[in-house]
Amino acid sequence: MTLVMTILARDEGDILRENLLFHLESGVDHIIVTDNLSVDATPDIIDEFARQGVVTPLREDGDDFRQGEWVTRMARMAAARHGADWVINSDADEFWIPRAGGSLAQALGALPFWRSTAQAWHHDFVCIEDPALPFHERMLWRKRRTTIPHDRPAPPKYAHRGWRWVTVVDGNHEVRHGRPGRVAGDVLDILHFTMRSPERYRRKILRGGEAFLRNPDLPESVGFTWRRQYEELLATNALRFVEESRYDLARAEAAVATGELVRDTRVRDRLRRLTGPGTPDAAVGA
């Protein structure tokens, strides 16, 4: 079985290398990465893995957030050029894990032929700030109930069987597959590290909101959460989601006791095996 992942990245230099290492170790055979106007280390990281033959690099210079179009191109390439049996369309801050353990390749390869998609649910990690540590050494607590901003339930994403005419809808939350089959539920989880720092998240919302305004072809329903946060940021110079996702160590431990948070070190533990422990003595909650 051939498993291919796609990633659309913009200024994800603090997490992209770890993402690629993590998924390649979990049975992903190849990753197609589209860089969209990055000005940080993202292009260098993509080139590093491309030289190893495990990443196909693409570049998109548009600044009007045509995510569905760009991800669809990668998903079709995964099937047509790389012979993908299964495709995962991911973001750089998402780490996909099988619920039953083992590798992604094992979990998806074991599904019967009539399952054409596999559902995956987000689990958001809260932000513990420490500029001396990488994200995976300090973000060790996730929300028991993950919602998108404005307290709406976080919708699932889907891995899908490779098909050269597949369409991936903006946000990667819907796949139009064209092949018969049913969804496999309770197979995958996504460990989501979106709020790695308040400053980074605010820049992401500001840049994304401006990109949406430059694309009049997108209906208002596309990027609803991003648009509302952009409006909130312009109106108040603050984001409620940022403040709700910022924790210190004492608050995180207290939230575990009340059931609000769950301690989850799976990403940290695997990345320590792949990249070394870094500075474990200083690690938060080590």
Side-chain angles (χ1 to χ4, degrees), residues 7-275:
I7 296 176
L8 175 62
R10 182 170 181 176
D11 291 336
E12 303 283 5
D14 69 317
I15 199 170
L16 181 59
R17 176 178 284 104
E18 290 81 0
N19 185 294
L20 298 176
L21 290 171
F22 183 96
H23 290 109
L24 289 167
E25 196 264 345
S26 188
V28 173
D29 296 291
H30 197 80
I31 304 177
I32 304 170
V33 185
T34 296
D35 172 45
N36 179 218
L37 298 174
S38 293
V39 296
D40 68 352
T42 296
D44 295 332
I45 296 169
I46 295 171
D47 289 344
E48 171 191 338
F49 283 83
R51 289 193 298 270
Q52 300 173 31
V54 294
V55 160
T56 294
L58 302 175
R59 180 165 177 89
E60 178 54 60
D61 293 327
D63 198 9
D64 53 358
F65 208 84
R66 298 185 181 273
Q67 183 188 34
E69 175 185 327
W70 302 336
V71 176
T72 292
R73 177 180 62 181
M74 290 190 288
R76 292 179 177 182
M77 182 184 296
R81 183 179 301 181
H82 298 283
D85 297 294
W86 279 92
V87 180
I88 294 174
N89 301 302
S90 182
D91 293 333
D93 59 7
E94 296 175 343
F95 292 74
W96 294 60
I97 290 185
R99 285 194 171 181
S103 72
L104 289 167
Q106 291 168 338
L108 293 171
L111 293 177
F113 70 89
W114 62 83
R115 301 290 191 186
S116 61
T117 55
Q119 198 172 63
W121 292 94
H122 273 100
H123 301 278
D124 275 0
F125 282 69
V126 299
C127 181
I128 305 289
E129 296 178 74
D130 186 337
L133 294 174
F135 75 95
H136 58 278
E137 291 287 357
R138 54 187 169 83
M139 297 176 69
L140 307 179
W141 295 267
R142 60 176 171 83
K143 299 175 183 178
R144 185 176 294 277
R145 175 179 177 267
T146 291
T147 63
I148 58 178
H150 304 287
D151 206 36
R152 300 176 65 193
K157 290 192 172 185
Y158 299 89
H160 61 85
R161 291 194 185 271
W163 188 51
R164 64 180 58 210
W165 302 116
V166 71
T167 297
V168 183
V169 178
D170 288 284
N172 299 346
H173 294 293
E174 182 183 348
V175 177
R176 295 169 186 166
H177 200 278
R179 293 178 57 178
R182 291 182 293 172
V183 175
D186 300 323
V187 176
L188 304 172
D189 284 319
I190 300 172
L191 305 185
H192 193 207
F193 297 85
T194 187
M195 234 284 285
R196 302 186 297 283
S197 80
E199 295 75 19
R200 174 181 288 275
Y201 191 80
R202 290 189 189 98
R203 287 197 304 270
K204 177 180 177 179
I205 293 302
L206 184 63
R207 189 172 55 204
E210 292 170 347
F212 275 118
L213 294 178
R214 285 190 287 269
N215 189 345
D217 298 333
L218 289 177
E220 281 290 318
S221 59
V222 174
F224 173 84
T225 301
W226 212 320
R227 294 176 192 268
R228 298 294 82 79
Q229 286 191 94
Y230 177 67
E231 294 169 359
E232 180 188 357
L233 186 58
L234 292 184
T236 68
N237 198 34
L239 289 170
R240 188 182 70 182
F241 179 72
V242 167
E243 297 310 313
E244 292 174 346
S245 299
R246 296 176 77 174
Y247 283 68
D248 58 25
L249 182 58
R251 182 187 172 198
E253 295 290 7
V256 171
T258 63
E260 176 188 346
L261 298 183
V262 175
R263 183 177 167 89
D264 189 332
T265 65
R266 286 176 291 176
V267 170
R268 184 203 66 180
D269 294 346
R270 183 181 296 179
L271 287 176
R272 278 188 174 182
R273 294 197 303 271
L274 293 172
T275 65

